[in-house]
Amino acid sequence: MEKTRSDCPISCSLDVFGDKWSLLIIRDIMLRGKLSYSEFLQSEEKIATNILVNRLSVLEAEQIVSKKVSPTNKSKFIYSLTEKGIDLLPIIIEIMDWGAKYNANCPRRELGKKIKKDKAGAIKEYYEKLRNQ
């Protein structure tokens, strides 16, 4: 792990996932069920391959994601969230909620509507899904 900028908990957290791409990769695993490198490349944000490789290795080194050989294709890796990664769920939900609330160009889709109606229930539902994978 690299040297942190300060001992502030927000700064320490941003040192791990405060770049432009890491939370989007976590979102893809957590909320969109994406598991592989090729699936991450298909996201609408169009992450560059070199950045994806770098962010996946940082997230793996920080033990937010784990990487395993795919049981169906031995030449492919699949990524999943660790318990540490799953614990980011409420943060991801809050960021989604804030973005939908204050940006008219980011409308609430199905999950966003669930969050607006029952945030605690949506978080509980996703915790259960993630822990039972």
Side-chain angles (χ1 to χ4, degrees):
M1 188 162 120
E2 294 181 24
K3 187 179 184 303
T4 57
R5 290 175 281 212
S6 75
D7 61 358
C8 167
I10 292 173
S11 181
C12 292
S13 298
L14 291 174
D15 287 338
V16 176
F17 55 75
D19 61 88
K20 184 176 177 177
W21 298 103
S22 294
L23 288 178
L24 294 174
I25 294 167
I26 293 166
R27 172 212 62 195
D28 280 352
I29 298 170
M30 185 178 282
L31 305 176
R32 298 185 177 177
K34 295 184 180 188
L35 303 174
S36 69
Y37 180 86
S38 60
E39 290 175 319
F40 301 135
L41 286 176
Q42 294 170 7
S43 293
E44 65 265 26
E45 293 86 8
K46 305 294 182 205
I47 188 170
T49 56
N50 61 321
I51 294 172
L52 178 57
V53 167
N54 174 270
R55 295 312 184 269
L56 284 169
S57 28
V58 167
L59 292 171
E60 187 179 10
E62 291 291 339
Q63 299 177 333
I64 291 172
V65 301
S66 63
K67 176 173 84 172
K68 296 180 179 136
V69 175
S70 169
T72 57
N73 180 349
K74 301 297 180 198
S75 64
K76 184 174 166 181
F77 290 105
I78 56 169
Y79 294 85
S80 60
L81 293 171
T82 62
E83 192 63 30
K84 185 176 178 181
I86 292 170
D87 280 346
L88 289 169
L89 177 63
I91 295 165
I92 298 290
I93 297 291
E94 289 296 340
I95 291 171
M96 282 181 63
D97 195 31
W98 184 86
K101 182 177 180 181
Y102 292 108
N103 190 327
N105 296 321
C106 298
R108 292 182 188 270
R109 296 185 186 134
E110 183 182 342
L111 176 56
K113 290 174 184 171
K114 279 185 187 179
I115 292 167
K116 189 172 183 180
K117 185 178 178 183
D118 179 14
K119 190 181 293 181
I123 291 171
K124 183 179 179 198
E125 176 186 331
Y126 273 85
Y127 264 135
E128 289 171 7
K129 282 182 188 177
L130 291 167
R131 290 202 169 108
N132 292 323
Q133 287 182 340

